[in-house]
Amino acid sequence: MARNEVRPVIKLRSTAGTGYTYVTRKNRRNTPDRLTLRKYDPTIRQHVLFREER
């Protein structure tokens, strides 16, 4: 059975330059542009901005 492409799996990469990533899903109909979330980066022990990577 094929995976629904309305909710693709995306990688969120840290903007702090540590290379840490989160993996999540997003609804492409509600948010067609790139997703940015403020999440915790354990390598620098701070909350930083994470951007969607394709």
Side-chain angles (χ1 to χ4, degrees), residues 10-14 20-22 24 35 37 50-52:
I10 60 166
K11 275 187 178 179
L12 298 172
R13 185 167 299 273
S14 174
Y20 193 79
T21 59
Y22 281 99
T24 187
L35 191 63
L37 294 175
F50 278 74
R51 282 214 179 93
E52 177 183 345

Side-chain angles (χ1 to χ4, degrees), residues 6-32:
V6 175
R7 295 191 66 87
V9 175
I10 60 166
K11 275 187 178 179
L12 298 172
R13 185 167 299 273
S14 174
T15 58
T18 59
Y20 193 79
T21 59
Y22 281 99
V23 177
T24 187
R25 293 180 172 276
K26 77 166 189 176
N27 191 331
R28 205 177 273 169
R29 289 184 187 149
N30 294 340
T31 54

